[in-house]
Short mmCIF file of all heavy atoms in Angstrom, two decimals:
data_model
loop_
_atom_site.label_atom_id
_atom_site.label_comp_id
_atom_site.label_asym_id
_atom_site.label_seq_id
_atom_site.Cartn_x
_atom_site.Cartn_y
_atom_site.Cartn_z
N MET A 1 80.16 67.54 -76.65
CA MET A 1 81.30 68.37 -76.52
C MET A 1 81.69 68.76 -77.79
O MET A 1 81.82 67.87 -78.71
CB MET A 1 82.36 67.75 -75.70
CG MET A 1 82.11 67.51 -74.21
SD MET A 1 83.52 66.92 -73.31
CE MET A 1 83.70 65.29 -73.96
N ILE A 2 82.10 70.00 -78.07
CA ILE A 2 82.65 70.40 -79.32
C ILE A 2 83.85 71.33 -79.03
O ILE A 2 83.92 71.88 -77.94
CB ILE A 2 81.59 71.14 -80.21
CG1 ILE A 2 81.06 72.33 -79.41
CG2 ILE A 2 80.44 70.28 -80.57
CD1 ILE A 2 80.20 73.24 -80.31
N PRO A 3 84.75 71.48 -80.01
CA PRO A 3 85.89 72.31 -79.80
C PRO A 3 85.51 73.77 -79.58
O PRO A 3 84.56 74.18 -80.23
CB PRO A 3 86.78 72.07 -81.00
CG PRO A 3 86.20 70.88 -81.65
CD PRO A 3 84.76 70.74 -81.25
N LEU A 4 86.26 74.47 -78.76
CA LEU A 4 86.05 75.93 -78.58
C LEU A 4 86.04 76.64 -79.91
O LEU A 4 85.24 77.61 -80.14
CB LEU A 4 87.12 76.44 -77.62
CG LEU A 4 87.15 77.93 -77.39
CD1 LEU A 4 85.82 78.32 -76.75
CD2 LEU A 4 88.34 78.40 -76.55
N SER A 5 86.80 76.16 -80.84
CA SER A 5 86.89 76.89 -82.11
C SER A 5 85.55 76.91 -82.94
O SER A 5 85.41 77.73 -83.82
CB SER A 5 87.98 76.23 -83.01
OG SER A 5 87.62 74.81 -83.12
N MET A 6 84.62 76.09 -82.55
CA MET A 6 83.43 76.00 -83.18
C MET A 6 82.22 76.80 -82.62
O MET A 6 81.12 76.77 -83.07
CB MET A 6 82.96 74.53 -83.43
CG MET A 6 83.92 73.77 -84.18
SD MET A 6 83.53 72.00 -84.49
CE MET A 6 82.06 72.17 -85.50
N ILE A 7 82.51 77.40 -81.47
CA ILE A 7 81.49 78.18 -80.79
C ILE A 7 81.37 79.58 -81.33
O ILE A 7 82.37 80.24 -81.56
CB ILE A 7 81.87 78.21 -79.27
CG1 ILE A 7 81.98 76.85 -78.66
CG2 ILE A 7 80.87 79.04 -78.47
CD1 ILE A 7 80.66 76.13 -78.55
N GLU A 8 80.14 79.97 -81.50
CA GLU A 8 79.84 81.38 -82.02
C GLU A 8 80.12 82.39 -81.02
O GLU A 8 80.05 82.13 -79.82
CB GLU A 8 78.39 81.42 -82.43
CG GLU A 8 78.06 80.55 -83.60
CD GLU A 8 76.60 80.61 -83.93
OE1 GLU A 8 75.89 81.62 -83.50
OE2 GLU A 8 76.15 79.63 -84.61
N SER A 9 80.45 83.59 -81.51
CA SER A 9 80.63 84.73 -80.60
C SER A 9 79.33 84.94 -79.76
O SER A 9 78.22 84.74 -80.29
CB SER A 9 80.89 85.98 -81.45
OG SER A 9 82.06 85.87 -82.14
N GLY A 10 79.57 85.40 -78.54
CA GLY A 10 78.42 85.71 -77.56
C GLY A 10 77.92 84.60 -76.80
O GLY A 10 77.08 84.79 -75.90
N LYS A 11 78.40 83.39 -77.04
CA LYS A 11 77.84 82.18 -76.26
C LYS A 11 78.64 81.98 -74.94
O LYS A 11 79.84 82.23 -74.87
CB LYS A 11 78.08 80.94 -77.16
CG LYS A 11 77.34 80.96 -78.46
CD LYS A 11 75.88 80.85 -78.27
CE LYS A 11 75.10 80.79 -79.66
NZ LYS A 11 73.70 80.58 -79.49
N LYS A 12 77.88 81.55 -74.05
CA LYS A 12 78.48 81.12 -72.72
C LYS A 12 78.77 79.58 -72.86
O LYS A 12 77.96 78.86 -73.28
CB LYS A 12 77.54 81.47 -71.57
CG LYS A 12 77.29 82.88 -71.32
CD LYS A 12 76.43 83.15 -70.19
CE LYS A 12 76.28 84.67 -70.00
NZ LYS A 12 75.38 85.01 -68.90
N ILE A 13 79.96 79.29 -72.18
CA ILE A 13 80.40 77.85 -72.35
C ILE A 13 80.96 77.32 -71.06
O ILE A 13 81.30 78.15 -70.16
CB ILE A 13 81.51 77.79 -73.50
CG1 ILE A 13 82.60 78.65 -73.24
CG2 ILE A 13 80.86 77.99 -74.85
CD1 ILE A 13 83.83 78.35 -74.09
N LYS A 14 81.08 76.01 -70.99
CA LYS A 14 81.72 75.40 -69.80
C LYS A 14 82.81 74.53 -70.46
O LYS A 14 82.48 73.72 -71.37
CB LYS A 14 80.63 74.60 -69.03
CG LYS A 14 81.32 73.87 -67.89
CD LYS A 14 80.28 73.06 -67.09
CE LYS A 14 80.87 72.31 -65.87
NZ LYS A 14 79.83 71.67 -65.19
N ILE A 15 83.95 74.64 -69.94
CA ILE A 15 85.09 73.82 -70.36
C ILE A 15 84.88 72.37 -69.88
O ILE A 15 84.72 72.10 -68.63
CB ILE A 15 86.42 74.34 -69.90
CG1 ILE A 15 86.69 75.71 -70.43
CG2 ILE A 15 87.64 73.36 -70.31
CD1 ILE A 15 88.00 76.36 -69.91
N LYS A 16 84.80 71.46 -70.76
CA LYS A 16 84.58 70.03 -70.35
C LYS A 16 85.83 69.24 -70.30
O LYS A 16 85.94 68.37 -69.43
CB LYS A 16 83.47 69.45 -71.29
CG LYS A 16 82.14 70.07 -71.33
CD LYS A 16 81.50 69.96 -69.94
CE LYS A 16 81.01 68.49 -69.67
NZ LYS A 16 80.30 68.39 -68.44
N LYS A 17 86.61 69.43 -71.27
CA LYS A 17 87.88 68.64 -71.33
C LYS A 17 88.96 69.44 -72.04
O LYS A 17 88.64 70.04 -73.05
CB LYS A 17 87.57 67.31 -72.00
CG LYS A 17 88.73 66.34 -72.01
CD LYS A 17 88.27 64.97 -72.35
CE LYS A 17 89.37 63.91 -72.33
NZ LYS A 17 89.60 63.45 -71.05
N ILE A 18 90.15 69.34 -71.68
CA ILE A 18 91.39 69.87 -72.37
C ILE A 18 92.20 68.78 -72.83
O ILE A 18 92.74 67.99 -71.94
CB ILE A 18 92.12 70.86 -71.46
CG1 ILE A 18 91.14 72.02 -71.05
CG2 ILE A 18 93.46 71.40 -72.10
CD1 ILE A 18 91.73 72.93 -69.93
N ILE A 19 92.46 68.71 -74.11
CA ILE A 19 93.25 67.71 -74.70
C ILE A 19 94.55 68.34 -75.15
O ILE A 19 94.70 68.84 -76.24
CB ILE A 19 92.62 67.04 -75.88
CG1 ILE A 19 91.22 66.47 -75.53
CG2 ILE A 19 93.38 65.91 -76.49
CD1 ILE A 19 90.36 66.10 -76.71
N ALA A 20 95.53 68.39 -74.21
CA ALA A 20 96.79 69.10 -74.47
C ALA A 20 97.90 68.41 -73.73
O ALA A 20 97.66 67.70 -72.80
CB ALA A 20 96.64 70.56 -74.16
N GLY A 21 99.12 68.70 -74.11
CA GLY A 21 100.28 68.21 -73.48
C GLY A 21 100.36 68.83 -72.08
O GLY A 21 99.65 69.82 -71.76
N LYS A 22 101.35 68.33 -71.28
CA LYS A 22 101.49 68.81 -69.95
C LYS A 22 101.82 70.30 -69.87
O LYS A 22 101.25 71.03 -69.06
CB LYS A 22 102.64 67.99 -69.22
CG LYS A 22 102.17 66.61 -68.88
CD LYS A 22 103.35 65.87 -68.12
CE LYS A 22 102.93 64.51 -67.76
NZ LYS A 22 103.98 63.80 -67.06
N THR A 23 102.67 70.74 -70.77
CA THR A 23 103.09 72.10 -70.78
C THR A 23 102.01 73.06 -71.05
O THR A 23 101.71 74.04 -70.35
CB THR A 23 104.23 72.35 -71.82
OG1 THR A 23 105.30 71.44 -71.49
CG2 THR A 23 104.74 73.80 -71.76
N THR A 24 101.19 72.71 -72.10
CA THR A 24 100.14 73.59 -72.47
C THR A 24 98.99 73.53 -71.43
O THR A 24 98.40 74.58 -71.08
CB THR A 24 99.52 73.20 -73.84
OG1 THR A 24 100.56 73.21 -74.83
CG2 THR A 24 98.43 73.98 -74.26
N ALA A 25 98.78 72.35 -70.89
CA ALA A 25 97.68 72.23 -69.85
C ALA A 25 98.11 73.08 -68.63
O ALA A 25 97.27 73.64 -68.04
CB ALA A 25 97.54 70.73 -69.48
N LYS A 26 99.40 73.07 -68.26
CA LYS A 26 99.85 73.82 -67.19
C LYS A 26 99.73 75.36 -67.34
O LYS A 26 99.29 76.11 -66.54
CB LYS A 26 101.29 73.52 -66.85
CG LYS A 26 101.77 74.23 -65.57
CD LYS A 26 103.16 73.76 -65.23
CE LYS A 26 103.62 74.57 -63.98
NZ LYS A 26 104.96 74.15 -63.53
N LYS A 27 99.99 75.79 -68.65
CA LYS A 27 99.79 77.17 -69.00
C LYS A 27 98.39 77.66 -68.80
O LYS A 27 98.01 78.67 -68.28
CB LYS A 27 100.24 77.50 -70.37
CG LYS A 27 101.82 77.48 -70.47
CD LYS A 27 102.33 77.81 -71.87
CE LYS A 27 103.82 77.66 -71.99
NZ LYS A 27 104.30 77.92 -73.41
N LEU A 28 97.49 76.74 -69.31
CA LEU A 28 96.04 77.03 -69.20
C LEU A 28 95.63 77.15 -67.75
O LEU A 28 94.78 77.85 -67.38
CB LEU A 28 95.12 76.01 -70.03
CG LEU A 28 95.39 76.11 -71.50
CD1 LEU A 28 94.67 74.95 -72.16
CD2 LEU A 28 94.76 77.42 -71.99
N GLN A 29 96.13 76.14 -67.02
CA GLN A 29 95.85 76.06 -65.55
C GLN A 29 96.28 77.37 -64.82
O GLN A 29 95.53 77.93 -64.04
CB GLN A 29 96.51 74.82 -64.92
CG GLN A 29 96.16 74.68 -63.46
CD GLN A 29 96.85 73.48 -62.91
OE1 GLN A 29 97.82 72.87 -63.48
NE2 GLN A 29 96.49 72.97 -61.80
N GLU A 30 97.41 77.84 -65.15
CA GLU A 30 97.96 79.10 -64.52
C GLU A 30 97.10 80.30 -64.91
O GLU A 30 97.03 81.22 -64.18
CB GLU A 30 99.38 79.34 -65.03
CG GLU A 30 100.42 78.35 -64.43
CD GLU A 30 101.74 78.42 -64.99
OE1 GLU A 30 101.99 79.19 -65.97
OE2 GLU A 30 102.72 77.72 -64.45
N LEU A 31 96.46 80.21 -65.99
CA LEU A 31 95.60 81.26 -66.48
C LEU A 31 94.16 81.09 -65.80
O LEU A 31 93.32 82.03 -65.95
CB LEU A 31 95.42 81.32 -67.97
CG LEU A 31 96.67 81.70 -68.71
CD1 LEU A 31 96.46 81.53 -70.26
CD2 LEU A 31 97.05 83.16 -68.45
N GLY A 32 93.86 79.98 -65.20
CA GLY A 32 92.66 79.75 -64.64
C GLY A 32 91.66 79.11 -65.55
O GLY A 32 90.45 79.06 -65.30
N LEU A 33 92.08 78.63 -66.73
CA LEU A 33 91.23 78.05 -67.62
C LEU A 33 91.31 76.53 -67.53
O LEU A 33 92.08 75.79 -68.03
CB LEU A 33 91.67 78.36 -69.14
CG LEU A 33 91.70 79.92 -69.44
CD1 LEU A 33 92.25 80.13 -70.80
CD2 LEU A 33 90.30 80.45 -69.29
N LEU A 34 90.44 76.16 -66.56
CA LEU A 34 90.39 74.67 -66.17
C LEU A 34 89.08 74.03 -66.57
O LEU A 34 88.14 74.71 -66.86
CB LEU A 34 90.50 74.66 -64.71
CG LEU A 34 91.69 75.35 -64.05
CD1 LEU A 34 91.45 75.54 -62.50
CD2 LEU A 34 93.02 74.70 -64.37
N GLU A 35 89.12 72.76 -66.49
CA GLU A 35 87.77 71.94 -66.79
C GLU A 35 86.88 72.32 -65.75
O GLU A 35 87.19 72.47 -64.61
CB GLU A 35 88.17 70.46 -66.77
CG GLU A 35 89.08 70.06 -67.91
CD GLU A 35 89.39 68.48 -67.92
OE1 GLU A 35 88.83 67.78 -67.07
OE2 GLU A 35 90.16 68.10 -68.69
N GLY A 36 85.60 72.58 -66.21
CA GLY A 36 84.53 72.93 -65.23
C GLY A 36 84.38 74.48 -65.13
O GLY A 36 83.34 74.94 -64.52
N GLU A 37 85.28 75.27 -65.67
CA GLU A 37 85.20 76.72 -65.66
C GLU A 37 84.20 77.24 -66.70
O GLU A 37 84.06 76.66 -67.70
CB GLU A 37 86.56 77.41 -65.89
CG GLU A 37 87.54 77.12 -64.77
CD GLU A 37 87.18 77.85 -63.47
OE1 GLU A 37 86.56 78.93 -63.52
OE2 GLU A 37 87.54 77.41 -62.41
N TYR A 38 83.51 78.31 -66.42
CA TYR A 38 82.62 78.96 -67.35
C TYR A 38 83.27 80.14 -67.96
O TYR A 38 83.91 80.95 -67.26
CB TYR A 38 81.36 79.30 -66.52
CG TYR A 38 80.53 78.22 -66.09
CD1 TYR A 38 80.68 77.67 -64.79
CD2 TYR A 38 79.54 77.63 -66.93
CE1 TYR A 38 79.98 76.56 -64.38
CE2 TYR A 38 78.75 76.54 -66.37
CZ TYR A 38 78.94 76.06 -65.21
OH TYR A 38 78.28 75.05 -64.76
N LEU A 39 83.06 80.33 -69.26
CA LEU A 39 83.54 81.39 -70.07
C LEU A 39 82.50 82.00 -70.95
O LEU A 39 81.51 81.35 -71.14
CB LEU A 39 84.75 80.94 -71.01
CG LEU A 39 85.89 80.07 -70.31
CD1 LEU A 39 86.74 79.51 -71.42
CD2 LEU A 39 86.64 80.95 -69.40
N CYS A 40 82.83 83.11 -71.47
CA CYS A 40 81.93 83.73 -72.49
C CYS A 40 82.86 83.92 -73.78
O CYS A 40 83.94 84.58 -73.54
CB CYS A 40 81.33 84.99 -72.03
SG CYS A 40 80.25 85.79 -73.19
N VAL A 41 82.37 83.55 -74.94
CA VAL A 41 83.21 83.78 -76.12
C VAL A 41 82.81 85.13 -76.67
O VAL A 41 81.70 85.46 -77.07
CB VAL A 41 82.86 82.71 -77.19
CG1 VAL A 41 83.64 83.03 -78.49
CG2 VAL A 41 83.24 81.36 -76.60
N LEU A 42 83.77 86.07 -76.56
CA LEU A 42 83.55 87.41 -76.95
C LEU A 42 83.58 87.52 -78.50
O LEU A 42 82.66 88.10 -79.15
CB LEU A 42 84.65 88.40 -76.41
CG LEU A 42 84.49 89.83 -76.71
CD1 LEU A 42 83.13 90.35 -76.15
CD2 LEU A 42 85.59 90.61 -76.03
N THR A 43 84.68 87.02 -79.08
CA THR A 43 84.77 86.94 -80.65
C THR A 43 85.32 85.70 -81.07
O THR A 43 86.26 85.21 -80.48
CB THR A 43 85.61 88.12 -81.14
OG1 THR A 43 86.93 88.07 -80.65
CG2 THR A 43 84.99 89.47 -80.80
N ASN A 44 84.83 85.18 -82.13
CA ASN A 44 85.37 84.02 -82.80
C ASN A 44 85.23 84.21 -84.29
O ASN A 44 84.20 83.93 -84.99
CB ASN A 44 84.58 82.77 -82.44
CG ASN A 44 85.20 81.47 -83.03
OD1 ASN A 44 86.18 81.55 -83.71
ND2 ASN A 44 84.59 80.36 -82.76
N SER A 45 86.22 84.84 -84.84
CA SER A 45 86.23 85.04 -86.30
C SER A 45 87.71 84.69 -86.70
O SER A 45 88.31 83.86 -86.14
CB SER A 45 85.96 86.54 -86.62
OG SER A 45 86.82 87.41 -85.89
N ASP A 46 88.21 85.32 -87.73
CA ASP A 46 89.52 85.00 -88.12
C ASP A 46 90.58 85.38 -87.01
O ASP A 46 90.39 86.41 -86.39
CB ASP A 46 89.94 85.70 -89.38
CG ASP A 46 89.07 85.23 -90.53
OD1 ASP A 46 88.53 84.06 -90.54
OD2 ASP A 46 88.86 86.03 -91.53
N GLY A 47 91.57 84.58 -86.78
CA GLY A 47 92.51 84.91 -85.75
C GLY A 47 92.11 84.29 -84.42
O GLY A 47 91.39 83.34 -84.41
N PRO A 48 92.73 84.71 -83.35
CA PRO A 48 92.54 84.09 -82.08
C PRO A 48 91.09 84.29 -81.57
O PRO A 48 90.42 85.20 -81.93
CB PRO A 48 93.49 84.85 -81.15
CG PRO A 48 93.86 86.03 -81.81
CD PRO A 48 93.64 85.74 -83.25
N ILE A 49 90.69 83.38 -80.70
CA ILE A 49 89.31 83.55 -80.09
C ILE A 49 89.53 84.27 -78.78
O ILE A 49 90.31 83.93 -78.04
CB ILE A 49 88.76 82.13 -79.88
CG1 ILE A 49 88.64 81.38 -81.24
CG2 ILE A 49 87.50 82.08 -79.08
CD1 ILE A 49 88.21 79.90 -81.10
N ILE A 50 88.64 85.25 -78.53
CA ILE A 50 88.74 85.99 -77.41
C ILE A 50 87.60 85.56 -76.44
O ILE A 50 86.45 85.44 -76.80
CB ILE A 50 88.54 87.58 -77.65
CG1 ILE A 50 89.47 88.02 -78.79
CG2 ILE A 50 88.74 88.33 -76.41
CD1 ILE A 50 90.94 87.93 -78.44
N VAL A 51 88.00 85.13 -75.28
CA VAL A 51 87.14 84.69 -74.28
C VAL A 51 87.20 85.54 -72.96
O VAL A 51 88.26 86.17 -72.72
CB VAL A 51 87.24 83.21 -73.88
CG1 VAL A 51 87.06 82.26 -75.08
CG2 VAL A 51 88.60 82.91 -73.30
N ILE A 52 86.15 85.59 -72.20
CA ILE A 52 86.14 86.43 -71.03
C ILE A 52 85.90 85.43 -69.86
O ILE A 52 84.90 84.58 -69.92
CB ILE A 52 84.98 87.47 -71.02
CG1 ILE A 52 85.21 88.40 -72.15
CG2 ILE A 52 85.00 88.21 -69.71
CD1 ILE A 52 84.16 89.54 -72.28
N LYS A 53 86.68 85.69 -68.75
CA LYS A 53 86.50 84.80 -67.53
C LYS A 53 86.74 85.82 -66.38
O LYS A 53 87.81 86.42 -66.27
CB LYS A 53 87.42 83.67 -67.46
CG LYS A 53 87.25 82.88 -66.14
CD LYS A 53 88.34 81.80 -66.01
CE LYS A 53 88.17 81.15 -64.73
NZ LYS A 53 89.00 81.72 -63.73
N ASP A 54 85.80 86.03 -65.62
CA ASP A 54 85.92 86.84 -64.42
C ASP A 54 86.38 88.23 -64.77
O ASP A 54 87.29 88.78 -64.17
CB ASP A 54 86.89 86.30 -63.35
CG ASP A 54 86.42 84.95 -62.87
OD1 ASP A 54 85.22 84.74 -62.84
OD2 ASP A 54 87.28 84.11 -62.43
N ASN A 55 85.81 88.82 -65.82
CA ASN A 55 86.16 90.19 -66.35
C ASN A 55 87.52 90.28 -66.88
O ASN A 55 88.04 91.36 -67.11
CB ASN A 55 85.92 91.23 -65.31
CG ASN A 55 84.43 91.45 -64.99
OD1 ASN A 55 83.58 91.29 -65.86
ND2 ASN A 55 84.14 91.72 -63.75
N LEU A 56 88.24 89.19 -67.16
CA LEU A 56 89.53 89.15 -67.81
C LEU A 56 89.33 88.52 -69.19
O LEU A 56 88.61 87.63 -69.42
CB LEU A 56 90.51 88.29 -67.04
CG LEU A 56 90.87 88.76 -65.62
CD1 LEU A 56 91.68 87.76 -64.90
CD2 LEU A 56 91.56 90.08 -65.67
N ARG A 57 90.08 89.15 -70.22
CA ARG A 57 89.98 88.69 -71.47
C ARG A 57 91.19 87.86 -71.85
O ARG A 57 92.35 88.23 -71.50
CB ARG A 57 89.88 89.81 -72.50
CG ARG A 57 88.61 90.64 -72.39
CD ARG A 57 88.63 91.70 -73.32
NE ARG A 57 87.38 92.52 -73.10
CZ ARG A 57 86.86 93.44 -73.93
NH1 ARG A 57 87.52 93.57 -75.06
NH2 ARG A 57 85.76 93.93 -73.66
N PHE A 58 90.95 86.74 -72.54
CA PHE A 58 92.16 85.82 -72.96
C PHE A 58 91.98 85.69 -74.47
O PHE A 58 90.91 85.45 -74.95
CB PHE A 58 91.96 84.50 -72.24
CG PHE A 58 92.21 84.56 -70.75
CD1 PHE A 58 90.98 84.63 -69.96
CD2 PHE A 58 93.36 84.49 -70.11
CE1 PHE A 58 91.13 84.68 -68.60
CE2 PHE A 58 93.48 84.64 -68.76
CZ PHE A 58 92.30 84.71 -67.97
N ALA A 59 93.15 85.75 -75.15
CA ALA A 59 93.22 85.34 -76.57
C ALA A 59 93.76 83.96 -76.68
O ALA A 59 94.80 83.72 -76.17
CB ALA A 59 94.03 86.40 -77.34
N ILE A 60 92.96 83.13 -77.29
CA ILE A 60 93.38 81.72 -77.45
C ILE A 60 93.52 81.45 -78.95
O ILE A 60 92.65 81.63 -79.70
CB ILE A 60 92.27 80.76 -76.87
CG1 ILE A 60 92.20 81.07 -75.32
CG2 ILE A 60 92.65 79.28 -77.10
CD1 ILE A 60 91.04 80.24 -74.65
N GLY A 61 94.73 81.04 -79.33
CA GLY A 61 95.06 80.65 -80.72
C GLY A 61 94.10 79.58 -81.26
O GLY A 61 93.48 78.77 -80.50
N ARG A 62 94.05 79.51 -82.60
CA ARG A 62 93.13 78.59 -83.21
C ARG A 62 93.57 77.19 -82.88
O ARG A 62 92.70 76.28 -82.62
CB ARG A 62 93.15 78.80 -84.73
CG ARG A 62 92.47 80.00 -85.17
CD ARG A 62 91.12 79.62 -85.72
NE ARG A 62 90.27 80.79 -85.61
CZ ARG A 62 89.05 80.80 -85.22
NH1 ARG A 62 88.42 79.72 -85.11
NH2 ARG A 62 88.40 81.93 -85.14
N GLY A 63 94.85 76.91 -82.98
CA GLY A 63 95.30 75.48 -82.71
C GLY A 63 94.95 75.08 -81.32
O GLY A 63 94.42 73.91 -81.17
N LEU A 64 95.16 75.92 -80.32
CA LEU A 64 94.77 75.48 -79.04
C LEU A 64 93.34 75.41 -78.79
O LEU A 64 92.82 74.54 -78.07
CB LEU A 64 95.44 76.53 -78.00
CG LEU A 64 95.07 76.29 -76.46
CD1 LEU A 64 95.62 74.82 -76.13
CD2 LEU A 64 95.80 77.33 -75.63
N SER A 65 92.58 76.22 -79.51
CA SER A 65 91.10 76.24 -79.28
C SER A 65 90.55 74.92 -79.81
O SER A 65 89.41 74.52 -79.35
CB SER A 65 90.50 77.38 -79.98
OG SER A 65 90.53 77.29 -81.41
N HIS A 66 91.14 74.22 -80.67
CA HIS A 66 90.69 72.84 -81.10
C HIS A 66 90.87 71.85 -80.06
O HIS A 66 90.19 70.76 -80.01
CB HIS A 66 91.42 72.44 -82.33
CG HIS A 66 91.17 73.20 -83.59
ND1 HIS A 66 89.92 73.28 -84.17
CD2 HIS A 66 92.00 74.00 -84.43
CE1 HIS A 66 89.95 74.04 -85.27
NE2 HIS A 66 91.21 74.57 -85.37
N LYS A 67 91.81 72.10 -79.08
CA LYS A 67 91.99 71.17 -77.99
C LYS A 67 91.26 71.36 -76.77
O LYS A 67 91.36 70.64 -75.77
CB LYS A 67 93.55 71.24 -77.68
CG LYS A 67 94.45 70.77 -78.81
CD LYS A 67 95.84 70.96 -78.49
CE LYS A 67 96.76 70.64 -79.68
NZ LYS A 67 98.14 70.76 -79.40
N ILE A 68 90.44 72.34 -76.73
CA ILE A 68 89.59 72.66 -75.57
C ILE A 68 88.18 72.33 -75.98
O ILE A 68 87.54 72.96 -76.79
CB ILE A 68 89.71 74.24 -75.23
CG1 ILE A 68 91.16 74.50 -74.82
CG2 ILE A 68 88.74 74.45 -74.06
CD1 ILE A 68 91.39 76.00 -74.59
N LEU A 69 87.69 71.26 -75.30
CA LEU A 69 86.27 70.81 -75.63
C LEU A 69 85.31 71.47 -74.58
O LEU A 69 85.54 71.49 -73.41
CB LEU A 69 86.27 69.29 -75.58
CG LEU A 69 87.18 68.60 -76.47
CD1 LEU A 69 86.99 67.01 -76.31
CD2 LEU A 69 86.88 68.98 -78.01
N VAL A 70 84.25 71.96 -75.17
CA VAL A 70 83.32 72.71 -74.31
C VAL A 70 81.86 72.31 -74.62
O VAL A 70 81.68 71.61 -75.59
CB VAL A 70 83.48 74.24 -74.58
CG1 VAL A 70 84.92 74.70 -74.37
CG2 VAL A 70 83.11 74.61 -75.98
N GLU A 71 80.99 72.83 -73.80
CA GLU A 71 79.51 72.72 -74.13
C GLU A 71 78.87 74.10 -73.81
O GLU A 71 79.34 74.86 -72.95
CB GLU A 71 78.87 71.60 -73.23
CG GLU A 71 78.76 71.96 -71.82
CD GLU A 71 78.05 70.91 -71.06
OE1 GLU A 71 77.86 69.83 -71.54
OE2 GLU A 71 77.73 71.12 -69.79
N GLU A 72 77.92 74.37 -74.61
CA GLU A 72 77.17 75.69 -74.44
C GLU A 72 76.30 75.50 -73.23
O GLU A 72 75.83 74.50 -72.89
CB GLU A 72 76.29 76.02 -75.67
CG GLU A 72 77.17 76.43 -76.85
CD GLU A 72 76.24 76.83 -77.99
OE1 GLU A 72 75.11 77.39 -77.69
OE2 GLU A 72 76.64 76.66 -79.12
N VAL A 73 76.16 76.63 -72.47
CA VAL A 73 75.29 76.70 -71.34
C VAL A 73 74.24 77.81 -71.68
O VAL A 73 74.52 78.73 -72.29
CB VAL A 73 75.97 76.94 -70.05
CG1 VAL A 73 76.97 75.77 -69.66
CG2 VAL A 73 76.88 78.20 -70.08
N ALA A 74 73.09 77.68 -71.03
CA ALA A 74 72.03 78.66 -71.23
C ALA A 74 72.32 79.78 -70.41
O ALA A 74 72.93 79.93 -69.48
CB ALA A 74 70.69 78.08 -70.86
#
């Protein structure tokens, strides 16, 4: 598992673990970003990381992206 912040653009990933406080974890849950969900990293450069889930785009800040552990999927 590696932090979301280290994933290159264009990669498909699976959320393995979220290391965040209750408030942040709840916000992610409300967005549908849960452990076991599959995402695609649209862009990962300077600034927020843009991911796509079910044709919806989410911008995730750098700090939060360090707390989301993922694995690449083929």
Side-chain angles (χ1 to χ4, degrees):
M1 291 187 290
I2 60 174
L4 174 61
S5 58
M6 298 180 68
I7 299 292
E8 296 176 16
S9 299
K11 299 289 184 178
K12 292 183 180 179
I13 57 170
K14 180 179 181 182
I15 299 175
K16 298 297 288 183
K17 186 166 183 78
I18 297 173
I19 305 169
K22 288 182 179 179
T23 302
T24 303
K26 185 175 180 179
K27 287 180 182 176
L28 290 172
Q29 183 180 17
E30 290 172 351
L31 294 172
L33 301 177
L34 307 167
E35 293 178 7
E37 293 290 333
Y38 291 90
L39 310 171
C40 181
V41 177
L42 184 61
T43 60
N44 184 2
S45 57
D46 295 334
I49 297 171
I50 309 297
V51 298
I52 298 175
K53 177 185 177 269
D54 299 331
N55 292 323
L56 297 173
R57 294 179 185 199
F58 298 95
I60 299 174
R62 287 262 155 216
L64 181 55
S65 70
H66 292 297
K67 298 176 181 178
I68 301 173
L69 302 179
V70 301
E71 70 178 12
E72 288 186 32
V73 294

